[in-house]
Amino acid sequence: MPQPPDFDVAIAGAGIVGASVAWHLAGAGLSVAVIDATGPAAAASGASDGAVSVASKKPGPLARLASASLLYTRVLSQGGPLAGAFQARPSYVFGQGAAELAAMDALIVKLGQIAGPVRVSADGGRGVLPGLGTGVERLVALDGEGHMPGHKAVRAYLARPGITPVWPARIMGITADDAGVTLDLGARRLRAGRLVAALGVSTPDHFPALPVIPRAGQLFITDRGPAGALPGSLTAAAYLLAKTDSPAAAPLPPVVIDPLATGQFIIGSSREDHGDPLRVDFATLRQLMTRSVAAWPMLAELRVIRAFAGIRAAVADGLPIVGPLPDAPRILMATGFEGDGICLSALIGAEVARMARGLPPSDAVAADLNALSPSRFTPQRQEGRA
Ligand SMILES: Cc1cc2nc3c(=O)[nH]c(=O)nc-3n(C[C@H](O)[C@H](O)[C@H](O)COP(=O)(O)OP(=O)(O)OC[C@H]3O[C@@H](n4cnc5c(N)ncnc54)[C@H](O)[C@@H]3O)c2cc1C
């Protein structure tokens, strides 16, 4: 007979998604263990840019969920756990050439359809923002988005009483039965009533039927420039071209220039189909740097002090995987957030915590959450679609 649970819920993975779920569950009075092979924010959540952006999301469920998550992130930043992590700031999308200008038209349509917290405040040429370079033909200025370093949010969430940290501890095996889930941690076993699997790019190690693949992104950080010169993120519209149902090859690199509070800039990021965090590719970085300087020439004065690759967990259909496994409903998946997990983490944490408590999803997001269900990868569902 299986042993009684040590915890109401075990959370596999101390990235921003697992940490947000843990914060919400502990707040509801459940006992929660967070298990991580390394420690908090050890993977994608510690290697990301941190844009909390609706503009950059694929149209449809993801963009609507991002809009809801942005609103909720703002709530959690007003005296809540994200008070020291989330910063509201303007954001800008720039483009050059026909493909990017068309993507900017589509962006304005998308934001109008969502009618959420992100509004177009200006749309014009280089004159909209002093300091832009000749690499900008058109600029759309947005109000309502923000920035949140993943590692800060993770630490803030995990500080909540009621969360038991279990790291470093690698999960070697997962077994579910009718009463709970048992984790094999090598030296010991841990049993919980439910498991939330927020394992990011490592998901297929334990759930090989789920098509999560690694997608690397090269980033670099500059030394300090004059603080405040660029008031918010500057995103090339090429980035939007990659976030559609039929991703188009962008003619120019999809660069995002993000000013940090320190006066430094974090600039990224490429999309490469490999999972090697040690592969820093100078040719790609050079392309990103060249386009960055063309858009914001002041960057030419700064040194690059660090370059690194972060690994995103991507899913073939471009949507995360969130919800109970059809054949093991005590296991809730929360993975595959690719380049969107910082933005989505607040809402997903709240909704997965509801699922773990046996509650239905919130009405406002139920249909869009349903589109993320792991059941879309079960054989029956695929046959049904054929
Ligand atoms: C270069 C780059 C730029 C990005 N920019 C943005 C951005 O601007 N905005 C945005 O919203 N998102 C961005 N993202 C995406 C965002 O960082 C991720 O979507 C998000 O961090 C995913 O969080 P997670 O908790 O799902 O996974 P992760 O943070 O990857 O956490 C998974 C955790 O599981 C642990 N783990 C794995 N296997 C095991 C095991 N067997 N046992 C125990 N623990 C295990 C790992 O140690 C890790 O801590 C970016 C990502 C990258 C790489």
Side-chain angles (χ1 to χ4, degrees):
M1 205 171 79
Q3 68 183 78
D6 306 303
F7 296 92
D8 294 323
V9 182
I11 296 176
I16 195 165
V17 173
S20 175
V21 178
W23 186 87
H24 285 88
L25 284 172
L30 277 74
S31 61
V32 184
V34 178
I35 303 108
D36 200 283
T38 308
S45 301
S48 68
D49 171 359
V52 182
S53 162
V54 177
S56 64
K57 299 297 169 282
K58 184 177 171 177
L62 209 56
R64 289 190 294 270
L65 290 168
S67 181
S69 195
L70 168 60
L71 278 172
Y72 185 44
T73 301
R74 286 191 198 166
V75 171
L76 294 182
S77 72
Q78 287 156 10
L82 302 181
F86 175 77
Q87 294 285 333
R89 49 118 170 91
S91 43
Y92 306 91
V93 177
F94 72 95
Q96 192 177 33
E100 287 197 332
L101 299 194
M104 295 167 82
D105 289 337
L107 165 66
I108 292 170
V109 171
K110 176 177 77 176
L111 293 175
Q113 286 168 345
I114 295 172
V118 182
R119 302 282 157 82
V120 176
S121 60
D123 180 4
R126 271 200 293 286
V128 171
L129 182 66
L132 289 172
T134 53
V136 177
E137 188 178 338
R138 176 182 176 189
L139 189 85
V140 170
L142 303 172
D143 274 339
E145 299 193 329
H147 187 256
M148 183 162 73
H151 63 95
K152 280 194 183 174
V154 169
R155 287 185 194 280
Y157 280 135
L158 292 177
R160 184 165 218 168
I163 299 174
T164 300
V166 183
W167 57 71
R170 179 168 293 280
I171 298 166
M172 319 287 275
I174 299 173
T175 321
D177 54 58
D178 289 345
V181 182
T182 302
L183 302 181
D184 174 3
L185 304 182
R188 61 181 274 214
R189 281 172 190 275
L190 186 149
R191 184 151 170 90
R194 283 190 164 83
L195 171 72
V196 174
L199 291 164
V201 77
S202 303
T203 300
D205 293 353
H206 296 287
F207 305 97
L210 296 179
V212 176
I213 51 164
R215 184 160 289 157
Q218 312 273 332
L219 288 164
F220 60 95
I221 297 181
T222 70
D223 61 8
R224 292 165 190 242
L230 177 60
S233 62
L234 198 49
T235 300
Y239 206 80
L240 311 179
L241 292 169
K243 301 280 191 91
T244 62
D245 278 332
S246 40
L252 292 166
V255 73
V256 181
I257 305 167
D258 226 319
L260 302 177
T262 54
Q264 296 168 285
F265 292 85
I266 183 166
I267 300 176
S269 55
S270 54
R271 293 159 62 86
E272 298 156 28
D273 285 336
H274 68 81
D276 182 357
L278 300 179
R279 201 196 298 177
V280 174
D281 169 2
F282 289 99
T284 303
L285 287 172
R286 191 180 181 84
Q287 285 182 350
L288 295 174
M289 287 176 193
T290 303
R291 187 153 202 213
S292 303
V293 170
W296 193 248
M298 196 213 80
L299 291 170
E301 307 299 320
L302 303 181
R303 287 177 313 147
V304 171
I305 58 169
R306 189 177 162 220
F308 57 99
I311 309 299
R312 312 174 183 97
V315 181
D317 63 6
L319 294 176
I321 303 174
V322 178
L325 283 179
D327 54 352
R330 285 186 172 270
I331 299 179
L332 299 164
M333 301 306 303
T335 187
F337 293 93
E338 201 180 346
D340 305 321
I342 305 296
C343 175
L344 290 167
S345 54
L347 178 81
I348 294 297
E351 292 299 326
V352 173
R354 287 180 67 86
M355 294 176 196
R357 295 166 63 207
L359 300 173
S362 304
D363 288 345
V365 294
D368 287 330
L369 271 181
N370 193 41
L372 312 186
S373 167
S375 66
R376 69 191 194 271
F377 300 113
T378 59
Q380 299 88 325
R381 180 84 171 255
Q382 283 165 11
E383 280 163 19
R385 278 182 175 173

